[in-house]
Amino acid sequence: MKYFFLLFFFFTLSLQAQFQVNGIVKDASTQKILPFASIITNDSSNTISDVDGKFSISSKNKITSITVSYIGYLKNTISIENNKLFYKIDLVEKANQLKEVLVSNENPALAIIKKTIQNKAENNPQKKLKSFEFKSYNKLIVTANPDSINGTIDSVFVTNSYETYLKKLDSTDYKFKQLIKKQHLFQTEKVSKYQFDGKRLKETILGTRMAGFKQPVYEILTFNLQSYSIYDSKYELFETKYKSPIANDALDDYNYKLLDTVVINGRNTYMVYFKNKKEKRAAGLEGILYIDQVNFAVAKAIMRIKGILDISGIHEFQFIPEKYLWFPTATKFKIVKGTNDDDIKILGGTIQFDGDIKEDLTPRKRVESDYIYLLSQTTNFDIQYSTPVAIKKPIVQVEIKENAINKPESFWVEYRKDSLDSRSEKTYLSLDSISIKKRIESRLNFGRKILTGYLPFKIWDFNLRKILSYNNYEGLRLGIGGITNDFFSKKYRLEGYTAYGLRDYDFKYNLGIGARIDKFSNTWIGISYTDDLRDIASTDYVVEKKAFKIYDPRSINFNTFYRYEHWRIALESKIIPKVESVFALANTFVTPQFEYTYNLNGKSYKTYTMTTATISLKWSPYSDYMQTPTGRIETEKRFPKFTFQVTQSLPDVLNNDFTYTKIDFKADYQIKYLNGQRTFLLFEAGRAFGDLPLPQLYSNSPNNLNKETIFKRITFAGRNSFETMYFNEFFSSEYMSFQFKHGFNRIYIFNKLKPSLDFVTRMAWGNMKNPENHIGLDFKTLNKGFFESGIELNKIFNGLGLGGYYRYGPNHLSNFKDNIAVKLTFILDLGI
């Protein structure tokens, strides 16, 4: 795992070319920094200074001079000396400022942006063109600049009461510099074909190559580093969406300033700086837009976020005269470490920050992760915009061709814009060798299986959920089970488990077999038999695979189960766009494991049989999907998500006892804010029509013990359970519930104690049809509603926290302490 996070998650600035000049631009009289000054070399390479006035410009040719210009200042051209790499450049303010343009008595930048917004439809290729397609070459590296690393061997001394002595020699910097002079830390390339048919944009990956991996990590290929289009209302930078500086209502959120006029592709452009007005409260988007002076299209864009990470995305365009349109031709994405007063952990590795270091304190020693950076560059070519486009398999946004991972070297030579340098060539050789020696690829696959709850062993993946569990009916439950993997077969699967309860002295088991009938839609048909226990009145969405949990607090405390013997044949598929679906036929024989009788029309049922047909759908309308040679994966999990399920009994089929219809619905929404806060919303509803026994109805996920005192009721909180609702207190044949949880930023108490504060509130309403038919359990209904709120201090120590909850409203209990629940919380932070 050490290599995994080192390769993928420690990032910084830009690739160093053969000739490079660094510097800073300042006002000659005030010495104030000048952000976004234009820097042009003698061979016309260009860049701009950043928000701190610093710049770094490189070229394949020798740089003999650079010219620096800034609005309202005289240009300054300086000669480059052979052995000097850093320059302080002073600009002298000129008397006559840039003339106000477009509209008098108005900020000229605002007038430019207003016209840019007005002309978006005419300038957006996805609006103006009926179709287009092009190919692209992308190269992503994780590396460092050897010249920025000291590379010395340090002596580490320790002082005690008697003496100062040499403890060790620290050669970390030296070894790291020697490594990085030879190769990059990670590298991947891909060649893609993009197609737009007037409605959707699809990427088909024709070839991909990832250093150290025979089978690429497909999720890496779909990292949404930056938005494709600059014209969308939301601009995405490193998995986070921001309001675009040219959104229809952008003027409410951004300040603008006209910096200069620049010539791009022979056309005059305005250089407009924008900055989010709310940046002091949260990391905001800022940057430069180069706006065509005639049609007010974006000719170039630089987007940047400066916070814990310093992230920037650059968009280059080419003007097409026959279409009178700027078309995207290149993008560049880079990440450099920003400023923060705290270390952050990613996949077990710690990124350290200097933070606000006081003058009397010694700054910490820089480590490897301070130098490492990520750079992704994409070049578009073979652009076609006159031929109609027909997209195959349009239901996926990204598709990887079957032979994409096995392309010969001739393929890469054909599509690379520049040949690989010696560091890049050695990266493939070195990382492939290291990967084989350290078994990195197999370790990564092993870790991914573990995170999903399986332990892989040759052709079989053992299900970790089945090994050990506990509940109040079975006591300690021991078991073993799992499913075959791709090493067994990619077309067929076997699955099953067996378990034994040490309190009920009984075996439970499951056996199943399945076959894949369509690879693209990942359609499987299977048949299974199960003889096991299930907690009563719990909603089981067939389409949802249960998440792996180290523990389940509700099952630990639960003691009312029913036994079910269950035959099922199921068809699961992803043939509908952005929808997972399961259709199942089942015959189930139910035996409640508690005193219960269901009276229906004068007949009593202590056991019963149900024959049902179920259709279960999970719709993720805003998620993105990738089709890989091994199947379809959800690459961008976005919210809201909707789950819908209908279960219909089949009268007179296989001894079915009841006639009913059951409808269940769930909507899940999560919001992550730029300042680190987050909000979770969950709405659930269900209704049973007809006659149905209590074990198949609803109980709203209670999680409170029936004990006398608050301290005796302390247990672990569930994820979405009602913490003050007692087990078997309420049952419903129809219900709806709403849960709201807001997580604030972590509270800094001291270095090792930084809990996160969450506020939660839950409410539910329900009704029971013919409650007199259910004999054996005393329960109430939720006609008047149920309400609880609480506060959680999570991650106090090693993921453990503490929560307090209070019950109020119509079902408030007369004894005050019975309305209070104190729970332990546990959040396993895997860093993903």
Side-chain angles (χ1 to χ4, degrees):
M1 195 60 77
K2 170 184 175 183
Y3 291 96
F4 185 84
F5 71 74
L6 181 64
L7 295 178
F8 297 117
F9 292 93
F10 288 167
F11 310 141
T12 276
L13 190 58
S14 62
L15 182 63
Q16 308 298 315
Q18 186 175 357
F19 299 97
Q20 178 174 308
V21 176
N22 305 307
I24 189 169
V25 184
K26 292 187 175 182
D27 182 294
S29 59
T30 66
Q31 289 300 294
K32 290 184 177 180
I33 61 170
L34 297 177
F36 303 111
S38 296
I39 298 96
I40 302 177
T41 67
N42 54 285
D43 68 345
S44 299
S45 298
N46 64 85
T47 188
I48 61 172
S49 61
D50 63 17
V51 291
D52 300 315
K54 297 178 182 179
F55 68 89
S56 177
I57 190 167
S58 56
S59 174
K60 296 177 183 177
N61 304 312
K62 185 175 182 180
I63 302 175
T64 58
S65 66
I66 58 173
T67 300
V68 183
S69 61
Y70 195 77
I71 181 173
Y73 288 79
L74 298 173
K75 291 183 179 180
N76 187 0
T77 300
I78 61 170
S79 298
I80 301 303
E81 303 174 21
N82 287 335
N83 297 320
K84 187 176 181 181
L85 297 178
F86 190 86
Y87 295 82
K88 177 177 170 293
I89 302 171
D90 293 328
L91 298 184
V92 177
E93 189 173 8
K94 58 185 179 182
N96 57 325
Q97 303 293 321
L98 182 69
K99 294 182 180 180
E100 301 265 323
V101 294
L102 300 178
V103 182
S104 59
N105 299 324
E106 184 181 0
N107 178 353
L110 288 179
I112 295 169
I113 293 298
K114 287 179 180 177
K115 290 203 171 186
T116 302
I117 295 172
Q118 292 172 5
N119 289 273
K120 282 196 302 182
E122 283 298 310
N123 293 320
N124 184 354
Q126 289 174 272
K127 297 291 185 182
K128 187 170 184 177
L129 299 177
K130 293 182 179 179
S131 63
F132 59 79
E133 68 177 32
F134 59 87
K135 292 185 177 70
S136 74
Y137 168 78
N138 172 265
K139 180 181 177 182
L140 182 150
I141 61 172
V142 178
T143 189
N145 176 20
D147 295 332
S148 66
I149 304 170
N150 185 19
T152 59
I153 300 177
D154 296 329
S155 301
V156 180
F157 291 90
V158 175
T159 302
N160 57 27
S161 303
Y162 305 100
E163 61 179 341
T164 298
Y165 62 93
L166 177 67
K167 184 178 181 181
K168 65 176 181 178
L169 294 176
D170 186 356
S171 60
T172 304
D173 269 9
Y174 174 79
K175 291 179 179 179
F176 183 62
K177 183 169 184 174
Q178 297 308 308
L179 170 68
I180 213 67
K181 286 170 65 176
K182 298 177 182 178
Q183 65 176 75
H184 305 304
L185 296 176
F186 176 71
Q187 180 174 278
T188 183
E189 299 175 278
K190 70 172 180 176
V191 174
S192 301
K193 179 172 72 174
Y194 285 85
Q195 295 175 294
F196 178 72
D197 63 359
K199 296 179 180 179
R200 61 188 67 83
L201 181 69
K202 179 181 177 180
E203 177 188 6
T204 302
I205 298 177
L206 306 176
T208 180
R209 187 181 182 187
M210 189 171 290
F213 293 89
K214 294 181 180 179
Q215 184 84 10
V217 183
Y218 294 120
E219 291 82 356
I220 298 293
L221 300 177
T222 59
F223 269 169
N224 203 1
L225 300 178
Q226 61 192 123
S227 288
Y228 166 78
S229 176
I230 201 70
Y231 290 100
D232 294 339
S233 60
K234 295 287 185 180
Y235 181 82
E236 192 159 359
L237 200 60
F238 196 47
E239 309 280 311
T240 304
K241 286 188 175 182
Y242 307 87
K243 180 178 288 188
S244 167
I246 54 173
N248 292 339
D249 56 348
L251 274 63
D252 297 335
D253 290 72
Y254 289 95
N255 290 320
Y256 302 88
K257 182 180 179 181
L258 179 60
L259 298 181
D260 208 343
T261 58
V262 179
V263 176
I264 300 179
N265 283 183
R267 295 178 67 84
N268 294 323
T269 67
Y270 298 114
M271 184 178 175
V272 179
Y273 169 63
F274 66 89
K275 186 174 183 179
N276 194 290
K277 296 177 181 178
K278 304 174 183 178
E279 188 176 0
K280 290 183 179 180
R281 285 178 283 173
L285 192 65
E286 63 178 306
I288 298 287
L289 295 176
Y290 296 81
I291 308 297
D292 191 302
Q293 293 187 15
V294 179
N295 66 353
F296 294 92
V298 178
K300 183 178 179 179
I302 300 173
M303 321 293 274
R304 187 179 184 188
I305 292 293
K306 189 175 183 182
I308 294 177
L309 296 173
D310 192 346
I311 309 169
S312 62
I314 299 176
H315 297 255
E316 304 275 1
F317 298 82
Q318 179 181 0
F319 186 72
I320 303 174
E322 57 267 32
K323 294 293 182 179
Y324 204 66
L325 180 72
W326 289 87
F327 195 87
T329 55
T331 58
K332 180 187 289 187
F333 174 88
K334 49 189 175 182
I335 300 181
V336 57
K337 288 171 62 171
T339 57
N340 184 35
D341 60 359
D342 191 14
D343 297 344
I344 60 174
K345 290 186 177 180
I346 304 178
L347 281 179
T350 301
I351 300 181
Q352 295 178 310
F353 295 91
D354 291 327
D356 299 325
I357 299 175
K358 297 180 180 179
E359 294 182 1
D360 59 338
L361 295 180
T362 303
R364 66 171 176 82
K365 182 181 181 296
R366 299 189 80 188
V367 295
E368 293 101 318
S369 66
D370 291 295
Y371 305 107
I372 302 172
Y373 64 84
L374 178 145
L375 173 69
S376 174
Q377 292 179 292
T378 302
T379 303
N380 302 334
F381 56 95
D382 290 350
I383 301 171
Q384 305 291 331
Y385 42 81
S386 301
T387 306
V389 171
I391 296 178
K392 297 179 180 179
K393 302 176 182 177
I395 65 175
V396 290
Q397 187 183 39
V398 181
E399 181 182 0
I400 301 179
K401 288 294 187 181
E402 288 280 348
N403 61 348
I405 62 176
N406 298 314
K407 292 297 183 182
E409 184 61 27
S410 58
F411 172 88
W412 297 107
V413 172
E414 176 185 357
Y415 286 111
R416 283 189 191 115
K417 298 298 102 178
D418 297 302
S419 60
L420 292 181
D421 58 21
S422 61
R423 289 174 75 194
S424 293
E425 290 176 348
K426 289 179 180 177
T427 300
Y428 281 122
L429 295 174
S430 175
L431 291 188
D432 287 348
S433 175
I434 291 174
S435 180
I436 295 172
K437 183 178 180 180
K438 300 289 186 179
R439 298 187 299 112
I440 293 176
E441 191 165 3
S442 61
R443 286 181 175 183
L444 174 62
N445 292 330
F446 179 86
R448 295 168 77 178
K449 291 274 190 178
I450 291 293
L451 292 178
T452 58
Y454 288 91
L455 176 66
F457 183 75
K458 295 185 178 179
I459 65 172
W460 185 263
D461 292 346
F462 288 95
N463 192 334
L464 297 177
R465 302 172 183 86
K466 304 299 182 183
I467 296 175
L468 182 68
S469 61
Y470 180 88
N471 62 68
N472 275 340
Y473 180 78
E474 294 176 281
L476 192 64
R477 172 173 165 142
L478 304 177
I480 189 171
I483 187 171
T484 54
N485 53 41
D486 286 349
F487 290 105
F488 172 78
S489 174
K490 294 182 179 181
K491 293 183 178 181
Y492 304 99
R493 68 186 181 200
L494 302 174
E495 58 185 322
Y497 66 83
T498 183
Y500 183 77
L502 298 184
R503 182 178 294 173
D504 68 343
Y505 306 109
D506 206 353
F507 280 99
K508 299 88 184 174
Y509 64 95
N510 161 270
L511 294 171
I513 185 171
R516 185 164 66 179
I517 57 179
D518 183 72
K519 185 176 181 180
F520 179 76
S521 62
N522 199 30
T523 301
W524 289 79
I525 186 169
I527 185 170
S528 65
Y529 176 78
T530 305
D531 185 353
D532 204 345
L533 297 172
R534 180 172 295 166
D535 49 323
I536 67 171
S538 59
T539 301
D540 181 21
Y541 289 96
V542 179
V543 74
E544 291 188 338
K545 293 179 173 60
K546 292 184 178 180
F548 175 51
K549 301 177 183 178
I550 292 180
Y551 73 101
D552 186 350
R554 291 193 67 252
S555 66
I556 291 174
N557 301 315
F558 212 66
N559 59 10
T560 45
F561 292 83
Y562 64 90
R563 187 85 180 223
Y564 68 102
E565 299 172 47
H566 181 75
W567 281 100
R568 190 184 81 151
I569 182 170
L571 181 72
E572 54 183 275
S573 178
K574 297 178 181 178
I575 194 169
I576 306 173
K578 301 190 176 185
V579 174
E580 297 176 54
S581 61
V582 175
F583 175 74
L585 296 172
N587 179 257
T588 308
F589 180 71
V590 176
T591 305
Q593 303 297 294
F594 57 97
E595 287 297 326
Y596 173 73
T597 302
Y598 181 50
N599 286 334
L600 178 62
N601 300 324
K603 184 176 180 180
S604 297
Y605 293 89
K606 288 186 175 292
T607 62
Y608 47 89
T609 299
M610 300 184 300
T611 305
T612 58
T614 300
I615 183 167
S616 188
L617 307 172
K618 186 173 184 178
W619 181 39
S620 304
Y622 299 102
S623 292
D624 293 331
Y625 292 84
M626 169 191 276
Q627 189 71 32
T628 74
T630 59
R632 191 179 309 174
I633 58 176
E634 186 179 7
T635 57
E636 295 294 331
K637 296 182 180 180
R638 297 192 179 102
F639 295 88
K641 293 176 177 288
F642 305 96
T643 309
F644 180 76
Q645 182 168 286
V646 178
T647 301
Q648 176 64 55
S649 67
L650 303 177
D652 303 321
V653 176
L654 298 177
N655 301 316
N656 177 58
D657 287 318
F658 310 116
T659 301
Y660 68 91
T661 302
K662 190 178 180 184
I663 300 175
D664 299 297
F665 173 78
K666 178 169 67 173
D668 188 5
Y669 190 44
Q670 298 182 17
I671 307 171
K672 294 183 179 180
Y673 303 96
L674 301 181
N675 60 6
Q677 298 187 45
R678 61 233 178 264
T679 298
F680 304 88
L681 303 171
L682 178 65
F683 175 80
E684 293 185 278
R687 185 172 183 181
F689 301 86
D691 303 310
L692 199 59
L694 187 140
Q696 277 67 48
L697 296 179
Y698 307 103
S699 65
N700 293 100
S701 299
N703 192 33
N704 203 7
L705 297 175
N706 297 300
K707 299 291 181 68
E708 294 179 358
T709 65
I710 295 174
F711 292 104
K712 288 183 178 181
R713 294 197 299 267
I714 293 178
T715 183
F716 280 96
R719 183 180 179 186
N720 296 315
S721 54
F722 283 75
E723 303 302 333
T724 62
M725 184 184 294
Y726 294 91
F727 287 109
N728 300 331
E729 184 179 5
F730 297 94
F731 289 98
S732 306
S733 57
E734 55 186 4
Y735 86 103
M736 65 177 179
S737 68
F738 176 75
Q739 301 190 34
F740 167 86
K741 186 174 185 178
H742 184 80
F744 297 91
N745 290 327
R746 302 191 74 167
I747 303 171
Y748 184 89
I749 300 177
F750 52 85
N751 192 38
K752 296 295 183 181
L753 187 60
K754 292 169 286 185
S756 60
L757 176 65
D758 291 359
F759 171 77
V760 60
T761 187
R762 302 182 177 98
M763 56 196 73
W765 295 266
N767 184 44
M768 173 63 80
K769 179 184 177 183
N770 301 322
E772 67 279 0
N773 290 348
H774 307 282
I775 302 172
L777 284 179
D778 293 328
F779 61 88
K780 296 181 287 186
T781 61
L782 289 169
N783 302 69
K784 297 180 179 179
F786 184 94
F787 304 88
E788 72 173 22
S789 295
I791 294 176
E792 297 175 352
L793 282 175
N794 295 311
K795 301 181 183 178
I796 297 176
F797 178 74
N798 287 341
L800 286 171
L802 192 66
Y805 312 87
Y806 183 71
R807 168 176 175 167
Y808 54 93
N811 278 292
H812 179 272
L813 300 175
S814 57
N815 191 337
F816 176 76
K817 65 180 182 180
D818 291 339
N819 298 288
I820 298 174
V822 176
K823 299 293 179 70
L824 298 174
T825 66
F826 180 74
I827 297 177
L828 179 63
D829 190 355
L830 297 171
I832 56 175

